[in-house]
Structures are given as structure tokens and as C-alpha cells.
Amino acid sequence: MGSMGRAETPAERRRKGPRFGANFMTVLEVSRELVCLCVDGVVADANSAGIAMLGAGSADQVVGRAFRDLVGGDYAGVIDDLLHLKEIEDSAFPIKVRHLDGGTFEAELQIHPARELGPAHAVVTARDISHQGRLARTARDSEDRFQALVERSMHLVLLCHGGRIGYINATGVAVLGGTDPSQFAGIPVSEIFAGDYREIVAADLGALLDEGGIMPMRLARLDGSTFDAQIKATKLPSQGAAPEYMVEARDITGQIRAVAALRHMNDTLEQQVAARTRELDEERARAVEARAFVESLLEAVPNPLWWKDTRGRYLGYNGAFRELHGVGPTDWIGRTTAEMVNPGFAAIASQADTQALAEAGRVQFEAHLEVAADRALDVVVNKTVWHGRDNRPEGVIGVMLDITERKRMEAELRRLATTDVLTGIFNRRHFMEMARIEVDRARRHGRPLVALMLDIDHFKRINDTHGHPVGDVAIKALADVCTQIIRHEDVLGRMGGEEFAIVLTETDLDGALLVAERLRQAVAAIRIPAELGTVAFTTSIGVAERLEGDATIDTILSRADMALYSAKRSGRNKVAVG
């Protein structure tokens, strides 16, 4: 190519992904999401999936409408600014999309500037997310059950920070003779103990925490009266120097009186005393089991689960989360997602946290998570807000589902359903679907379109002389040549055996003949090494352009096929027009 360097091949252009060229909608037609082109905020074109999602019977019902009329929600007021490129939204955002019949569905919308197509041109994509959110609801239900268990506990429960009370449940307020939790918030925890116990706790809180088991102590009510109780203090993970711990207390005044009375009873009641003692032990065992169940509930969830505060700092996570990231129970406590995972995932996760806290609702998103240097996953994340005592948002709970294998299987199923196993190009069924779409588009917009039919000359001779494996190599070589010469917006398919078909979009007859001649020459230059010598072969090509009266691709392919046989009759290795 001289000083200008090597020209970019069509295959290299395809690897770069879709570009907003004149025919970009051809590629996006296969998308299951809504895709449309807007000019000055008005829909100029839409793919078939989008037409169906909007409840339209044809493109004519959508084309020409102002896109802002198709959306609702908070973004409806600024949609024109986004479509006229006065404002740029880099990432997808949730929005309500309206059906033509007046109904709505939740979607994730993204607007891409397309200035290369013209002023105020934008490409809009929307993905239906109405069905999502079930996992987030499950996590929220678990949090509600946990809160209910603590608040409705039969025993006093305190959450303390340092030497002061931060939280007290309703049972605790009643046991201590109060009327409202605010009477206890912030007071020294030693104040609820009576006599010498108060001094011991005030002087050496650490001793209480180190005791670990259940201890008999005396507590004081607000009116100064006292009662005997069983106390258990449990250390909690703490982020600062001051310890955080939970105190549980059970009023055992009645039990102590009963035991004292039993001591004065006749020896014949000893059996009843023993039975009552066993009953108490069983009660305590059931209480311990209930607490253990609540504490292990999150650990039992098979999917990675975590909870964070309103500043995005991790407060805790379950065993599945630790296993996924290979971390210990406290390694990420106090850290943020941005510090611990890949930037792309962190940015989406942070935006989801902000949205969930702002709307006090549930958010779901899909993202690519790098869990190790050589390991990445496709995941679905559901997030929901958890609330504190005053019903204000205290943070976000997240649940993750690994969909990597599902994504891989979906891609493989799409490939198997649409491609020819030998050549890797479209199979006959998918080619006909794509070709019909292109013919409909050409008719709708009055654009040129040409179909080519081609096959290998004397293909039976190759099979008979060199064997079917060499014949397969020849078929694959012909497919590769076609892929290299045509554009990525054109449609190529194997119709069966050694026969191929091509639809050239936005191409008139003269342009198609140039392409056909290049194909014929390129095929003639193919050389395949074989046991009996090098194999060379040629191709005959039939060309037919779309005429005004052509309603289907079948009519055009039929003329191209007749032209192909005309090329065969005139000596092969030729291009003929039908």
C-alpha cells in the first residue's frame, strides 16, 4: 500500500464492533432490545424488537413520533436535551417506556451521540428490566424477620458502644420501667445495674465482656426498684477503639422465688424441682438455638450477600461472599467497593447504591466482576435499602448471582442456531431471516439491493478425486474469501452443499457486478494442498437486483439462481445477470 500503510480488512473492521455508519441499523436489527435512531428528538428508524416492545404492529406506527412521548418518569422532562445532545448521559439510566396502548414498562435506557450521521442524530437503546428484583426482595424480607425477632424478643436486648447504650428493644424498655427508648439512649450501661454490680461494671467493663457466659446479676428499674436477672454480654465486630457489644438480660426474679419456696417444701417435691430445672434448661437451650438461627441465617444464603452503610463501607458479608473473593471475615470491613474490585464494576455498584438510597427502593443491574487476575464473572446484583430504628435508610444490602455460565450458554445457543458449523457463516434459515429484513428495509426506504448466488464449479469432481475432506476445505475456503471481500453490513449464508448466497445492501447492479467479479477472481486464485496434488477451482455467480415489484427475497434469489445456471451453461467461471 506504499507510504499509507496496510489497508484495514473487513474482518478487522468487524472486530472493532458496530459503528454508526449509514447501515448500522442492519446490525442492530438482531438485538432483542429496543434500538432506534432519532433525529431532532424524532424517531427516524427502529428495529423489530423495539417495535414489538412498544406494542406497535409495524414501524410506521413508531417512525415520526417524538421520542419524549414514548417515555415517562423523572427523565421525561429532559429527554429532548439528551436527544439534541445538549446534555450527555454516559451510562444507562432507568426510565418508564410507554406502550402505544398507554401502558408502561420499566426499562434501562441509554442515548448514544451519533453526530457522524448528522446534526442532532442519536441512537437510543432500551432494555426491559420489569421482571427483575426478586432476589432483592428476598434479602429485604430476611432483614425484616431479623428486626422482628429482636424487637419482639421476650428478653431485654441492648446494643452498646463503649460504655453507653445505643439501642434498647421494646421488651427492655418495659422491663426497666420505661415508656420510650429515648429514656435510655446514650446513658452509661452501668446505670441499669443495681448496688455493687453498678460499680463493678462502671469500673471494669472489660471484665463483663470477658466473662462470655450467662451471669446472674441484679438490675435497677427507673423507679429505683431492683430485680434479679441473667445477663449475657457478646462482643460485636468494632470499627473504632471503643468496644461494641450486645447485652441480653432475662428477669429471673420469679424463678429465684420459686426455687426458694421449693427449698422449704417436703422432700416428696424434689422430683418436681428436678423437672422444673430440666424445663428451664430446655428453655435456655431453645433461646440459644433461636439466636444461633438468626446469626447463621445470612451464612446459610448460598449466594454472595453483603451489607454496607450509607457511605458505601462494608459492615459485613456472608460465607459465600468470602469464598468468592477469597477474603477473611473482617478483611473488607470498613472498606468501599471502589477500593476492592475492578473500576467498571465499582462505578456501576456505586451508582446503584446511590439510586437505592435516594429512592428507598430496590435496584438490579448486570455487570462484569473481576474476582482475580485471571478470573472474571458475569453477575446480576440486586440491592435494597435497610432502615434503622427511625425508619431512615441506614445502608444497602446486596445479593449477587453468578450468570457467567448462563451467558456462555446463551451465546453458544445463538451461535449454533444461526451459523453453519463448517464455515462459521449464517446457515440457510438465519440467512433467509436476515435477507427478508433487508428486503423489507430496502422497499420501505426505496434503497437499492442486490442478491448473488454462487457455487463451486465441478464440485463433484473435487469430492470424487480428492475425497470429501478436501471438498469441505474448498467450501470453507470459498466462505472465507466471501467474508473478506463483502462488507460487514452485507448478508452471507450457506444455502447447502457448495452453494452460497449474498445480499449486498445499499448497492446497485453496477456495484454488485464489481463485487461479483472480485469474488470470481479471488476464488480462482485459491490453492488447496492435497495428497494427489494442489486443488484449484472456480465459481459461477448469478446476480439479480431488487426490482420495484419484488415483494420477497425469494423472488430475487430465484432470478439470481437462474442467472447462476446461465453462467454454468455458458462455460462456468463467469458472472451472469438475471
Side-chain angles (χ1 to χ4, degrees):
M1 299 297 296
S3 61
M4 297 302 290
R6 182 176 65 83
E8 186 181 53
T9 68
E12 290 172 333
R13 290 197 301 271
R14 283 192 299 276
R15 284 195 293 271
K16 290 182 178 179
R19 297 176 295 178
F20 295 135
N23 302 295
F24 80 96
M25 287 296 293
T26 301
V27 178
L28 296 179
E29 183 62 28
V30 299
S31 174
R32 290 183 294 179
E33 300 177 0
L34 182 151
V35 181
C36 67
L37 172 65
C38 291
V39 179
D40 289 319
V42 175
V43 178
D45 198 359
N47 67 341
S48 299
I51 293 170
M53 288 171 65
L54 293 172
S58 67
D60 294 335
Q61 294 176 267
V62 177
V63 172
R65 284 178 174 266
F67 192 84
R68 65 172 179 274
D69 295 336
L70 301 176
V71 302
D74 295 339
Y75 275 85
V78 297
I79 199 69
D80 275 342
D81 286 345
L82 294 173
L83 289 172
H84 285 81
L85 311 183
K86 296 178 181 178
E87 299 287 343
I88 302 298
E89 182 70 54
D90 293 331
S91 58
F93 52 88
I95 198 167
K96 288 185 181 294
V97 178
R98 301 182 189 278
H99 291 289
L100 295 187
D101 62 3
T104 63
F105 64 92
E106 297 291 334
E108 195 174 66
L109 190 78
Q110 189 159 14
I111 298 176
H112 308 271
R115 295 186 178 91
E116 64 269 29
L117 300 179
H121 281 56
V123 176
V124 181
T125 61
R127 181 170 64 89
D128 189 343
I129 59 173
S130 302
H131 66 286
Q132 301 172 350
R134 294 186 182 90
L135 288 178
R137 286 193 294 273
T138 300
R140 176 55 192 271
D141 290 342
S142 298
E143 171 65 17
D144 291 343
R145 286 195 298 271
F146 175 81
Q147 182 70 22
L149 284 171
V150 174
E151 192 60 35
R152 298 174 185 174
S153 172
M154 295 174 61
H155 308 308
L156 177 152
V157 178
L158 301 177
L159 181 64
C160 303
H161 180 79
R164 296 185 178 274
I165 297 174
Y167 163 78
I168 183 171
N169 67 345
T171 301
V173 173
V175 166
L176 295 177
T179 57
D180 189 88
S182 63
Q183 294 173 275
F184 301 93
I187 70 171
V189 69
S190 60
E191 292 296 315
I192 71 169
F193 292 87
D196 294 340
Y197 294 110
R198 178 175 299 180
E199 296 178 8
I200 293 172
V201 173
D204 192 0
L205 176 63
L208 175 66
L209 296 178
D210 293 339
E211 190 68 27
I214 298 174
M215 300 170 287
M217 302 185 80
R218 185 171 289 273
L219 300 185
R221 301 184 180 91
L222 290 181
D223 61 5
S225 62
T226 65
F227 63 94
D228 293 308
Q230 289 179 325
I231 304 293
K232 179 177 174 58
T234 305
K235 288 184 179 180
L236 300 175
S238 302
Q239 300 181 15
E244 292 185 2
Y245 51 94
M246 181 174 72
V247 175
E248 299 169 88
R250 180 170 178 259
D251 184 354
I252 59 171
T253 304
Q255 287 89 333
I256 291 178
R257 289 174 180 166
V259 171
L262 286 172
R263 288 196 184 110
H264 298 286
M265 290 178 134
N266 194 284
D267 290 343
T268 57
L269 299 178
E270 289 180 358
Q271 202 169 16
Q272 297 180 27
V273 173
R276 178 58 178 164
T277 302
R278 286 194 299 271
E279 181 182 339
L280 292 175
D281 289 340
E282 291 172 359
E283 270 188 46
R284 286 194 293 269
R286 285 194 294 271
V288 171
E289 289 175 0
R291 288 194 297 271
F293 170 78
V294 174
E295 292 169 358
S296 63
L297 183 62
L298 297 179
E299 287 294 312
V301 176
N303 294 326
L305 183 148
W306 63 96
W307 51 101
K308 300 190 289 186
D309 61 19
T310 55
R311 298 173 63 183
R313 297 174 301 188
Y314 286 97
L315 300 178
Y317 37 80
N318 69 351
F321 184 97
R322 297 195 296 273
E323 182 180 352
L324 174 69
H325 293 285
V327 298
T330 61
D331 290 352
W332 285 21
I333 301 301
R335 311 293 292 274
T336 65
T337 304
E339 299 176 78
M340 312 311 295
V341 300
N342 55 293
F345 180 90
I348 299 173
S350 177
Q351 182 181 6
D353 287 348
T354 301
Q355 180 184 346
L357 289 168
E359 301 176 1
R362 299 176 176 85
V363 178
Q364 184 181 72
F365 64 88
E366 291 187 17
H368 195 65
L369 174 64
E370 297 174 7
V371 295
D374 57 348
R375 184 182 175 213
L377 305 175
D378 290 308
V379 297
V380 169
V381 178
N382 289 277
K383 294 194 172 185
T384 188
V385 175
W386 60 276
H387 297 83
R389 297 184 304 277
D390 55 0
N391 204 35
R392 289 189 304 177
E394 293 289 340
V396 174
I397 297 174
V399 180
M400 180 183 297
L401 177 65
D402 182 358
I403 60 170
T404 306
E405 182 61 18
R406 190 188 78 187
K407 287 278 192 181
R408 187 196 66 77
M409 292 179 64
E410 287 177 354
E412 180 63 13
L413 288 173
R414 284 195 298 269
R415 186 189 68 79
L416 292 174
T418 61
T419 60
D420 173 61
V421 176
L422 175 62
T423 62
I425 64 175
F426 290 157
N427 58 25
R428 179 187 180 91
R429 182 186 63 79
H430 193 61
F431 169 82
M432 293 300 291
E433 290 178 2
M434 297 299 296
R436 290 187 185 102
I437 291 171
E438 292 303 331
V439 170
D440 289 343
R441 191 190 311 281
R443 290 182 59 210
R444 189 165 63 248
H445 298 289
R447 304 302 299 167
L449 179 144
V450 178
L452 277 62
M453 292 289 293
L454 61 157
D455 68 4
I456 298 175
D457 294 330
H458 301 297
F459 181 70
K460 184 176 184 302
R461 184 185 302 168
I462 295 175
N463 279 341
D464 292 345
T465 304
H466 300 278
H468 289 281
V470 174
D472 288 346
V473 173
I475 291 172
K476 181 67 169 61
L478 175 57
D480 291 344
V481 164
C482 293
T483 301
Q484 293 167 8
I485 290 178
I486 67 173
R487 304 161 302 177
H488 70 274
E489 58 263 34
D490 297 327
V491 185
L492 168 65
R494 183 183 178 192
M495 306 302 284
E498 77 279 17
E499 189 175 47
F500 295 78
I502 301 172
V503 170
L504 301 176
T505 63
E506 297 291 332
T507 305
D508 58 17
L509 182 59
D510 291 340
L513 290 174
L514 291 175
V515 174
E517 184 59 25
R518 288 177 59 200
L519 284 170
R520 186 192 66 78
Q521 294 177 10
V523 171
I526 294 173
R527 296 294 181 269
I528 301 172
E531 186 176 346
L532 299 180
T534 301
V535 177
F537 59 89
T538 60
T539 182
S540 297
I541 304 174
V543 181
E545 65 176 330
R546 183 186 71 84
L547 302 178
E548 189 64 30
D550 290 333
T552 66
I553 183 61
D554 303 85
T555 305
I556 307 171
L557 288 177
S558 178
R559 290 202 307 275
D561 195 44
M562 288 188 292
L564 169 63
Y565 282 102
S566 176
K568 295 278 190 185
R569 288 192 300 270
S570 63
R572 293 183 172 81
N573 192 23
K574 293 184 178 181
V575 176
V577 178

